[in-house]
Amino acid sequence: MTQTKVRLRRDAELAESDGSLRVSAPVGAFGLRDLPPGTVAALGALAAGDMTEAGLTAAVVEGDGEAGLLRWNMLLRRLARGGLLEYSVDGARLRPVGSGPLEPAAAPAPDTRVKLSRFAVATAEGGALVVRSPRHASVVELAPATAGILGALAGWTTPAELAEALPGLPVDQLLRYFDAAGLLTRTSEDEDQSHAQWTPRDLWQHAHSRGPRVTGRYGGTYPLGPDFGPLPAAPAAFDGPRIQLVPPDMELAAKSDPTLTETLERRRSVREHDPASPITVAQLGELLYRSMRRRDGFTAPDGQELVDRPYPSGGSIHELEVYPLVVSCQGIEPGLWHYDTAGHALERVAEPGPATQVLVRRARASALLEADPQVLLVVTARFGRVMWKYETIAYSLVLKHVGVLYQTLYLVGTAMNLAVCGLGGGDAGDFAAASGLDYLTEGSVGELVLGSKR
């Protein structure tokens, strides 16, 4: 019979201080005082690696006698309730990654219908398949020899059928681990709206950007800090022609703009442009200056260059860039341009061509325009700016920043009496083809169409 083993979770530490032991992990810590020698030895064995129940019992009895077993079992339950233990059988491991109690569940009855949750995700890590559920704080690691259970659980089955189909595998223990990690379902996950409305990718994004409990590492953990330096605040300049824009008169704008309340009430998504009088380079420049320009910059204690712009950004990182794709704008040749936020200038990225036309055509269809937009503002993110510092929440931060930039562009555009319309989606692959930028390094995350009002 396969033996279950237990150990302290791999990101926990056992340290001695002032005559007591302290167990610490990213999810918390607690101290242990006045422990007898057998218990200390057993804890040391748990910290060193996998141990069987018999091995732990022997360590406790040798140092404390059989009378020490009750205290030891109570301590072991305390560690389990704190989410500080991981469990393993040959070829599989149940491991906590977040906070909360973790103990293997009871095995389902032999005739119970079970299935792998449609929200489960498996990734290859360190030679094993790591299977996760978005709402649970633990994972199951499967060695190649046991990974076949995933395919067997793709459809409805029972433990009895699994044992027959997968001879030699510890099916009961595997199902206990899967159950404890929230990977099994006994009913259809599409029968009630609360589950049916979620796609796996959306639930994963929501749960892990809003749930430090299920991740362990969350927020400003600097996951890339040990291996890479932070990206500079500004991207490298493009080689194409450059247009220096004239800063607008901000005092005049402050006097002539409608009030914030009036602007909010007038704000609309305007999809019709005036073909007889296209937007001008001065108007485009003023919109970008008032919405996107770099007002100041400074270096943080962690060495990252930070920026101040008119809209807020988590950690003052400001990873967003704007690329005006000009179709019809007085004073600018058509093509794809990049806005230099520090120098208040436009840099030529690409001439008009089939790749840029795909972006225009998609934007026109998305906005339900009767003609091509005069300008398509493509918003990109330099992902490394955020992902160098933030873990789990990095991409959700990017999307939050896109939202506040949308609103800023909307309000400034409304105050300037321009036609602004944000789009709900775009194709990052199309932008990569048009710009020549690497999809994983800097990619499009938002689009707005812009023009003159009729």
Side-chain angles (χ1 to χ4, degrees), residues 269-299:
S269 291
V270 182
R271 293 172 168 81
E272 293 184 354
H273 300 165
D274 185 356
S277 182
I279 188 174
T280 68
V281 63
Q283 290 174 312
L284 176 59
E286 179 178 346
L287 176 72
L288 294 173
Y289 184 90
R290 294 174 63 177
S291 303
M292 279 286 295
R293 79 184 186 281
R294 175 174 173 168
R295 297 189 299 198
D296 198 2
F298 52 98
T299 301

Side-chain angles (χ1 to χ4, degrees), residues 28-389:
F30 61 85
L32 302 168
R33 295 182 177 277
D34 303 322
L35 296 179
T39 300
V40 172
L43 279 174
L46 280 180
D50 295 321
M51 291 292 297
T52 64
E53 181 181 351
L56 292 171
T57 298
V60 173
V61 170
E62 181 179 352
D64 307 337
E66 292 189 2
L69 287 177
L70 177 59
R71 179 173 181 173
W72 167 250
N73 288 328
M74 292 175 63
L75 175 58
L76 204 60
R77 289 298 305 275
R78 184 182 175 189
L79 294 172
R81 288 194 300 268
L84 293 169
L85 297 179
E86 55 185 65
Y87 309 84
S88 65
V89 293
D90 290 343
R93 182 177 297 273
L94 174 64
R95 178 168 63 87
V97 291
S99 61
L102 177 62
E103 292 182 88
D111 59 349
T112 303
R113 292 176 73 245
V114 295
K115 182 182 178 182
L116 188 69
S117 168
R118 71 183 182 91
F119 299 109
V121 170
T123 55
E125 300 176 26
L129 277 182
V130 180
V131 194
R132 296 175 168 88
S133 171
R135 297 186 61 207
H136 285 260
S138 58
V139 303
V140 175
E141 296 180 351
L142 297 174
T146 54
I149 195 170
L150 288 178
L153 283 169
W156 291 108
T157 185
T158 66
E161 292 169 343
L162 286 172
E164 183 177 350
L166 301 169
L169 291 191
V171 169
D172 278 354
Q173 288 93 331
L174 292 174
L175 292 179
R176 292 178 66 203
Y177 290 1
F178 272 51
D179 226 4
L183 298 169
L184 286 186
T185 182
R186 292 166 172 78
T187 59
S188 172
E189 292 170 302
D190 295 320
E191 290 180 351
D192 64 277
Q193 183 178 350
S194 63
H195 284 79
Q197 66 191 356
W198 289 97
T199 65
R201 62 183 63 87
D202 285 343
L203 185 57
W204 269 93
Q205 175 77 348
H206 175 61
H208 279 250
S209 63
R210 302 297 306 169
R213 181 184 62 83
V214 302
T215 62
R217 294 175 58 84
Y218 183 88
T221 63
Y222 298 92
L224 300 183
D227 301 313
F228 304 95
L231 295 182
F238 288 89
D239 296 332
R242 183 179 176 91
I243 297 176
Q244 189 64 49
L245 301 171
V246 178
D249 186 335
M250 296 298 287
E251 290 186 5
L252 177 62
K255 294 177 181 179
S256 61
D257 274 357
T259 67
L260 175 60
T261 299
E262 291 173 328
T263 305
L264 285 167
E265 291 300 311
R266 284 173 43 195
R267 188 218 57 79
R268 298 289 186 276
S269 291
V270 182
R271 293 172 168 81
E272 293 184 354
H273 300 165
D274 185 356
S277 182
I279 188 174
T280 68
V281 63
Q283 290 174 312
L284 176 59
E286 179 178 346
L287 176 72
L288 294 173
Y289 184 90
R290 294 174 63 177
S291 303
M292 279 286 295
R293 79 184 186 281
R294 175 174 173 168
R295 297 189 299 198
D296 198 2
F298 52 98
T299 301
D302 59 19
Q304 189 171 30
E305 295 180 10
L306 304 182
V307 176
D308 173 57
R309 291 181 183 173
Y311 66 92
S313 176
S316 297
I317 287 175
H318 282 292
E319 77 287 355
L320 299 184
E321 302 288 328
V322 167
Y323 290 75
L325 176 51
V326 174
V327 175
S328 177
C329 178
Q330 300 179 60
I332 307 179
E333 291 295 320
L336 183 63
W337 299 79
H338 170 254
Y339 177 58
D340 174 7
T341 61
H344 188 50
L346 292 174
E347 304 169 322
R348 184 61 165 260
V349 178
E351 301 282 343
T356 60
Q357 188 56 39
V358 170
L359 293 174
V360 173
R361 187 168 61 248
R362 287 189 183 277
R364 176 176 173 175
S366 179
L368 302 177
L369 300 177
E370 296 181 356
D372 288 348
Q374 292 176 1
V375 178
L376 173 66
L377 297 180
V378 182
V379 181
T380 70
R382 298 169 62 218
F383 300 115
R385 287 280 293 166
V386 181
M387 294 175 179
W388 180 79
K389 177 178 179 180

Side-chain angles (χ1 to χ4, degrees), residues 364-454:
R364 176 176 173 175
S366 179
L368 302 177
L369 300 177
E370 296 181 356
D372 288 348
Q374 292 176 1
V375 178
L376 173 66
L377 297 180
V378 182
V379 181
T380 70
R382 298 169 62 218
F383 300 115
R385 287 280 293 166
V386 181
M387 294 175 179
W388 180 79
K389 177 178 179 180
Y390 292 106
E391 191 167 357
T392 304
I393 64 172
Y395 193 75
S396 70
L397 278 179
V398 170
L399 299 185
K400 291 179 175 72
H401 299 157
V402 172
V404 296
L405 177 57
Y406 266 38
Q407 179 72 330
T408 304
L409 289 166
Y410 259 117
L411 295 182
V412 175
T414 300
M416 293 176 59
N417 202 36
L418 297 174
V420 182
C421 179
L423 306 185
D427 193 316
D430 288 344
F431 177 77
S435 65
L437 295 172
D438 178 63
Y439 180 95
L440 298 178
T441 302
E442 181 178 352
S444 62
V445 289
E447 295 84 12
L448 304 95
V449 294
L450 173 69
S452 58
K453 277 189 177 179
R454 286 187 183 274

